Amino acid sequence: MSKRSDAKKARRRKRQASRGQNWIPERVLEELEIAAELEDFDTRLTERGWVFGEDADDEVGVFWLWPASAAEVDHEAERANATVVLLTPDDGGEIAHVVFVGADEDYQFGLEELFEHIETIEAYRIGEPLPVFG
């Protein structure tokens, strides 16, 4: 083989080795980005006192409870016994569903939009008129 051919092969091996160390498939990269966003979202909520729902379901999604809002509710009416923030796989985790304690209405917010209204959400207590978001 010629020196030129050997040099070309050496450069190709170097590129392939470099790519093997640094290259991440796009699907995996997207999953890592989603995980990082979810971790950031979780941190922002838990730092405020929200509690991550340990019995989350991969099919239903993940949720956080606002303990200060907890109240006795009619469980047969399927009402939330504390205010809940839920992220579902159907929305790709991009929509925060909020269900207030004692209610069954599903308020939906973008993830950043949720934090624009978080104080109103946290202040709600059962028996009060449901907040209006505009």
Side-chain angles (χ1 to χ4, degrees):
M1 287 197 183
S2 71
K3 288 183 179 184
R4 188 174 197 184
S5 178
D6 289 342
K8 185 176 179 181
K9 287 180 183 180
R11 286 191 305 273
R12 181 181 305 133
R13 283 192 299 271
K14 185 177 178 181
R15 276 194 318 271
Q16 289 173 338
S18 172
R19 183 178 68 192
Q21 292 172 356
N22 300 323
W23 183 76
I24 300 174
E26 189 171 332
R27 178 185 54 76
V28 173
L29 185 58
E30 288 173 6
E31 289 175 5
L32 290 172
E33 289 170 355
I34 291 169
E37 290 170 7
L38 181 58
E39 184 175 342
D40 179 57
F41 186 79
D42 174 67
T43 299
R44 290 176 72 184
L45 282 176
T46 55
E47 284 178 347
R48 296 185 65 86
W50 290 79
V51 176
F52 182 75
E54 294 297 328
D55 53 343
D57 182 333
D58 288 342
E59 291 181 21
V60 175
V62 294
F63 65 94
W64 293 260
L65 300 169
W66 183 241
S69 69
E72 289 294 320
V73 297
D74 180 5
H75 292 286
E76 290 182 22
E78 296 188 16
R79 308 273 184 200
N81 61 355
T83 298
V84 175
V85 171
L86 170 72
L87 301 181
T88 69
D90 293 342
D91 302 321
E94 305 225 355
I95 303 292
H97 298 262
V98 175
V99 179
F100 289 99
V101 60
D104 62 357
E105 288 88 348
D106 177 7
Y107 291 79
Q108 298 180 14
F109 302 94
L111 300 186
E112 284 304 313
E113 181 187 16
L114 173 76
F115 290 100
E116 294 170 15
H117 301 290
I118 197 74
E119 290 178 7
T120 301
I121 293 166
E122 292 171 348
Y124 177 79
R125 296 298 180 265
I126 195 166
E128 297 176 356
L130 288 171
V132 176
F133 302 96

